[in-house]
Amino acid sequence: MATQTWFITGSSRGFGRSLAVAALKAGDRVAATARRPEQLADLAELFGDKVLPVALDVTDPAAAAAALDAARDRFGRIDVVVNNAGYANVAPVETAPEDDFRRQFETNFWGVYNVSKAALPLLKAQGGGIVVQFSSIGGRVGGSAGLGSYQAAKFAIDGLTRALAAETAPFGIRYLVVEPSGFATDWAGSSMEVQDVPPEYRATVGAFHERARAGGMAGDPDRAAEILVRVVKRDHLPTHLPLGATAARMALDHSRRQTAEAEAWQAVSVSADFGTEYPVELPADAA
């Protein structure tokens, strides 16, 4: 199997670190990025010239382009671009500080936009490549109280990626959206801040935060990383890959509910067009 060159954002910990290690152990090469590249020194010591630590703040478009250029100059090409960097803070949408809401979105969506956009000329010039976008199962299902900014960004990533896939298909560029459920990373640990939760939101936002901080996440990030290294070496990729038993269950349940609702309201939907039967009965208003 051909050696691949990876470009991974947020490689200092969590999924990014696990994925960098899994790719390197598979014999691939990795440009591992982090805001503080000194946190990647141990990877360079272990894997030598197969790893290139790169400083990168994904919210800086010029820095994203420079980091990708550095990786291409070092390794000759980039086969897999992984947008992993991101974080979540918890607060109700109503009371969340707007500057914090925007900062999260700046990293979680605009960071993905910056890296994806900067990668396109390189991938086009070499005749293709793979872009892996880390979302979450919440980016498919939504509805996690307290994660308004984070989940809005994940939904936006999915929309952006679908458009990119349509636009760049002739260039041989492929995309994979990864949708994990709870994994044993620091996502709900020290990297997560909790804003003030008013009493009226403690049953929703407060309860979500307590569950997240309780730990006991079933997902193994090292296993997930090994799975992804195997998946991207396939000729045909899934468009979306839930990871974890909870993610798989939630994805299927959500799809079934969406299908059932669309079927129940189909006649009403069709009746909005000229030349169709109108009016039609609304579905029963079940309790």
Side-chain angles (χ1 to χ4, degrees), residues 29 69 97 112 114 121 145 166 253:
R29 304 175 299 185
D69 285 343
V112 171
N114 291 336
D253 288 349

Side-chain angles (χ1 to χ4, degrees), residues 97-109:
E98 184 176 333
D99 59 346
D100 180 71
F101 199 99
R102 288 181 178 274
R103 278 196 303 271
Q104 290 182 71
F105 209 85
E106 193 71 29
T107 295
N108 295 330
F109 173 75

Side-chain angles (χ1 to χ4, degrees), residues 3-263:
T3 298
Q4 292 176 307
T5 298
W6 297 64
F7 181 94
I8 305 173
T9 69
S11 297
S12 62
R13 57 185 176 177
F15 274 120
R17 169 57 67 108
S18 293
L19 191 52
V21 170
L24 290 162
K25 285 184 174 179
D28 292 341
R29 304 175 299 185
V30 174
T33 80
R35 286 176 179 261
R36 296 166 50 198
E38 64 270 18
Q39 295 176 320
L40 306 170
D42 60 321
L43 290 180
E45 291 174 5
L46 283 171
F47 296 99
D49 59 6
K50 286 188 175 182
V51 60
L52 173 67
V54 183
L56 176 58
D57 176 353
V58 297
T59 65
D60 182 342
L68 284 155
D69 285 343
R72 188 269 320 274
D73 293 345
R74 169 70 172 271
F75 296 122
R77 63 181 288 118
I78 300 172
D79 300 292
V80 186
V81 176
V82 181
N83 280 303
N84 163 74
Y87 71 101
N89 291 337
V90 176
V93 172
E94 180 185 358
T95 61
E98 184 176 333
D99 59 346
D100 180 71
F101 199 99
R102 288 181 178 274
R103 278 196 303 271
Q104 290 182 71
F105 209 85
E106 193 71 29
T107 295
N108 295 330
F109 173 75
W110 287 105
V112 171
Y113 168 87
N114 291 336
V115 173
S116 298
K117 183 176 180 180
L120 292 180
L122 304 181
L123 299 179
K124 287 166 58 182
Q126 68 189 23
I130 298 170
V131 180
V132 178
Q133 316 282 44
F134 264 82
S135 178
S136 76
I137 192 58
R140 177 190 294 229
V141 175
S144 295
L147 296 185
S149 179
Y150 180 80
Q151 289 195 335
K154 296 305 186 182
F155 273 89
I157 288 168
D158 193 37
L160 172 70
T161 304
R162 290 170 188 258
L164 284 171
E167 293 173 357
T168 65
F171 310 132
I173 303 174
R174 298 179 290 155
Y175 298 84
L176 169 62
V177 177
V178 182
E179 300 172 326
S181 47
F183 274 73
T185 67
D186 191 44
W187 180 81
S190 61
S191 63
M192 176 182 282
E193 294 181 6
V194 182
Q195 312 295 338
D196 290 336
V197 178
E200 66 269 28
Y201 284 107
R202 286 175 187 161
T204 53
V205 176
F208 166 80
H209 173 247
E210 289 174 5
R211 290 194 303 272
R213 282 280 168 87
M217 300 299 187
D220 180 341
D222 294 337
R223 287 191 186 185
E226 291 172 2
I227 289 168
L228 290 173
V229 170
R230 292 166 55 204
V231 168
V232 300
K233 295 184 184 300
R234 292 166 52 92
D235 292 330
H236 302 285
L237 299 178
T239 60
H240 297 72
L241 180 61
L243 284 177
T246 299
R249 174 182 55 77
M250 291 177 68
L252 289 169
D253 288 349
H254 181 66
S255 294
R256 293 180 183 119
R257 288 194 303 271
Q258 282 193 311
T259 299
E261 185 173 78
E263 290 175 344

